Amino acid sequence: MNLLTKAVRGTQDILPADSYKWKFVQNIMLNEANLYGFKEIRTPVFEHTELFDRGVGDDTDIVQKEMYTFNDKGGRSLTLKPEGTVAAVRAVLEHGLLNDGVPLKLTYITPCYRYEKPQSGRYREFYQFGVETFGAASPEADVEIICLATTLFERLGILDLSLEINSIGCPKCRQEYRSALKKYFEKYRENLCSTCIVRLEKNPMRIVDCKNPDCQKIAADAPSIIDFLCKDCRLHFNDVKNYLNGAGITYKINPKIVRGLDYYTRTVFEFVSSLDSNRNLVCGGGGRYDGLIEEIGGPTTPAVGFGIGIERLILLMQSQGIEIPKPNRCDVFIATADKSAQAKALSLSKILREASFYAEFDIVEKSLKAQLKYANKINAKFLLVLGEKELAEKKAEIKNMDSGEKFVISLDNNFFIEVKNILTN
Ligand code: ATP
Ligand code: MG
């Protein structure tokens, strides 16, 4: 085959052999969010670039290296959204959703785009499930979404994920922490990676979660943010821990989870799989971002949320051997022995489909033998064979493909009632 082109590097086709897994996982996600009162929001795939690149010294990999930014024909700079939160915040503010009272709880499943080196669990187009609660500063709001994530993983049958939490305080506590970090890392300046040497001046907190092994070694003994929390942040963190204990949710405090951006505050959390040595997190972006809404031009509004990468989640489920239920089986395959039965097959399938039964018949002029093979391949529950004789007698045989049991049914007005009885027994 001489293909004109192939899928773009880092993108994936989700084929029928896998799409049912996606549907299953996505349904569980949206249903779970619904049980917690989150309502779905859908935002465009692209936004004005300044929504993401806000010129506030954001030196995250996403903004500096990974964005898909292009000019459209009108000369506007647009960016394919690299994550879901900021677009949701933009929509909330643009449509005044906060005026209807708080809390405002939103959920979404959205494609995201990042120019990264493609590898397993890391793509240039991937999907995120996210929830965001606006207008609630309370620790209960943090714990509520952590509960949501844990029940979601349980429902999906994933047992191996452990929850790690930390508090990164508020801008006030972080000022002191930053200078302590700077002082500490300064001593190891020569051994830091080149990126971290720049971070030393701009944002020493980001050195703490640098993936370079040398930096990680140095960071292991760096001061911990928890020791720098102000009274209010400490109380908030204590409440989060108490509520988690009360809800019977086990967690580990990991002082190394930080976020390099000012708008992130207080609670941060991640779900880590012991099977994943690369720490390619399924749910990495969890936590509070009380400063973001203001940064996008809205009123000071507390907010908390998380994002789960769906590809990584499905990969994890597969690596754990978790079976995702196969979609519905075909109820009836109507095979036709000759051309004269095609019209009847079409009308009987239509009757069954209108009553929400899954029915198929041959549409590519297969031989009867090939049709029977096809019925087996699609794992049809029942097989109905129509030919000249059946049409003349207005009776046909329907066979239960699992048990081999056969029934004679009429092809006239009683067809539906008789078939329905057999199918639903
Ligand atoms: P990482 O440290 O693995 O690069 P991140 O911090 O960039 O992750 P977030 O921005 O927090 O990730 O995104 C939330 C979730 O989205 C991640 O935990 C992960 O499940 C998923 N994710 C992020 N980048 C990708 C990608 N390139 N391909 C697939 N999933 C991704
Ligand atoms: Mg990343």
Side-chain angles (χ1 to χ4, degrees):
M1 217 177 4
N2 204 356
L3 272 189
L4 186 61
T5 181
K6 287 188 171 174
V8 175
R9 191 167 134 82
T11 66
Q12 302 192 95
D13 298 307
I14 300 162
L15 303 177
D18 289 312
S19 59
Y20 74 92
K21 300 175 187 165
W22 279 72
K23 196 171 168 197
F24 175 80
V25 168
Q26 295 189 342
N27 280 345
I28 289 197
M29 288 171 157
L30 293 177
N31 285 343
E32 197 61 34
N34 192 31
L35 294 177
Y36 282 75
F38 289 82
K39 302 282 183 264
E40 190 180 354
I41 185 164
R42 299 188 188 196
T43 58
V45 159
F46 47 78
E47 296 276 353
H48 290 288
T49 299
E50 59 264 33
L51 181 64
F52 306 108
D53 190 0
R54 295 186 294 281
V56 285
D58 184 338
D59 70 334
T60 55
D61 289 346
I62 296 182
V63 172
Q64 290 307 311
K65 299 186 229 158
E66 297 172 0
M67 289 207 315
Y68 272 92
T69 299
F70 59 96
N71 286 334
D72 74 358
K73 289 203 167 72
R76 302 168 196 91
S77 177
L78 303 179
T79 295
L80 302 183
K81 68 181 149 177
E83 50 97 21
T85 306
V86 172
V89 172
R90 197 254 324 128
V92 163
L93 296 175
E94 189 168 333
H95 301 284
L97 301 188
L98 289 168
N99 303 336
D100 297 336
V102 292
L104 171 67
K105 297 189 193 179
L106 301 178
T107 185
Y108 50 81
I109 290 176
T110 178
C112 297
Y113 301 84
R114 297 187 192 176
Y115 196 79
E116 298 201 70
K117 194 168 163 239
Q119 50 194 285
S120 170
R122 194 169 291 283
Y123 310 101
R124 291 182 172 172
E125 179 186 65
F126 64 97
Y127 283 79
Q128 261 186 12
F129 162 68
V131 300
E132 320 284 351
T133 301
F134 298 100
S138 69
E140 290 92 316
D142 307 29
V143 175
E144 182 176 65
I145 62 164
I146 295 176
C147 284
L148 197 170
T150 47
T151 14
L152 182 67
F153 294 136
E154 268 170 38
R155 276 196 213 280
L156 292 170
I158 304 171
L159 303 170
D160 162 66
L161 286 175
S162 40
L163 168 66
E164 299 187 355
I165 63 165
N166 192 24
S167 173
I168 54 168
C170 59
K172 209 169 69 190
C173 352
R174 280 200 296 257
Q175 224 167 16
E176 212 189 314
Y177 178 56
R178 281 216 176 98
S179 23
L181 274 185
K182 211 167 154 188
K183 211 166 129 201
Y184 172 84
F185 284 124
E186 198 66 63
K187 290 186 289 189
Y188 302 95
R189 179 183 270 273
E190 287 89 80
N191 306 76
L192 292 174
C193 73
S194 55
T195 324
C196 281
I197 292 181
V198 181
R199 289 172 175 159
L200 195 52
E201 299 309 320
K202 279 169 66 181
N203 197 346
M205 264 172 88
R206 288 217 58 212
I207 307 178
V208 178
D209 70 347
C210 177
K211 284 182 179 158
N212 179 306
D214 293 332
C215 301
Q216 279 182 1
K217 242 182 262 163
I218 300 169
D221 294 320
S224 164
I225 175 78
I226 294 181
D227 299 325
F228 292 81
L229 295 183
C230 67
K231 189 168 158 251
D232 287 346
C233 289
R234 212 168 46 237
L235 287 176
H236 193 275
F237 192 42
N238 281 341
D239 282 344
V240 167
K241 289 184 282 185
N242 288 336
Y243 283 126
L244 286 174
N245 292 336
I249 294 175
T250 43
Y251 58 88
K252 195 179 107 185
I253 294 170
N254 179 354
K256 292 283 171 298
I257 307 177
V258 293
R259 305 262 190 263
L261 296 175
D262 276 343
Y263 63 76
Y264 286 112
T265 50
R266 297 188 167 172
T267 316
V268 283
F269 62 89
E270 294 177 350
F271 284 86
V272 192
S273 163
S274 59
L275 296 174
D276 178 17
S277 48
N278 300 325
R279 219 183 146 87
N280 269 346
L281 299 169
V282 168
C283 175
R288 211 160 244 298
Y289 51 95
D290 291 350
L292 180 64
I293 288 110
E294 220 176 331
E295 214 175 280
I296 296 176
T300 312
T301 309
V304 62
F306 68 69
I308 293 179
I310 301 184
E311 290 78 1
R312 285 192 198 171
L313 187 76
I314 291 176
L315 281 173
L316 182 72
M317 290 173 72
Q318 276 163 351
S319 72
Q320 296 193 355
I322 296 170
E323 288 267 343
I324 295 179
K326 289 254 163 38
N328 291 349
R329 280 172 73 184
C330 174
D331 290 305
V332 186
F333 183 82
I334 306 177
T336 46
D338 44 65
K339 187 94 184 148
S340 64
Q342 283 294 95
K344 192 69 177 170
L346 175 70
S347 68
L348 296 183
S349 321
K350 186 163 177 278
I351 291 172
L352 289 169
R353 289 163 176 169
E354 281 170 2
S356 299
F357 287 106
Y358 168 3
E360 279 203 73
F361 70 103
D362 177 53
I363 53 169
V364 288
E365 300 188 15
K366 278 193 172 90
S367 67
L368 183 58
K369 199 171 150 208
Q371 290 179 53
L372 301 189
K373 212 166 138 190
Y374 178 79
N376 269 317
K377 187 178 140 198
I378 63 168
N379 198 17
K381 289 184 200 161
F382 286 87
L383 175 71
L384 175 67
V385 183
L386 302 182
E388 256 174 58
K389 181 170 156 278
E390 284 79 8
L391 294 190
E393 292 174 2
K394 295 201 165 81
K395 275 190 182 2
E397 210 170 62
I398 187 166
K399 179 178 161 189
N400 182 321
M401 301 280 274
D402 296 329
S403 67
E405 212 177 343
K406 290 175 180 166
F407 307 86
V408 174
I409 52 156
S410 52
L411 299 179
D412 56 19
N413 291 344
N414 286 334
F415 167 77
F416 180 65
I417 297 184
E418 291 180 24
V419 172
K420 191 179 165 205
N421 275 338
I422 293 168
L423 293 182
T424 50
N425 257 339

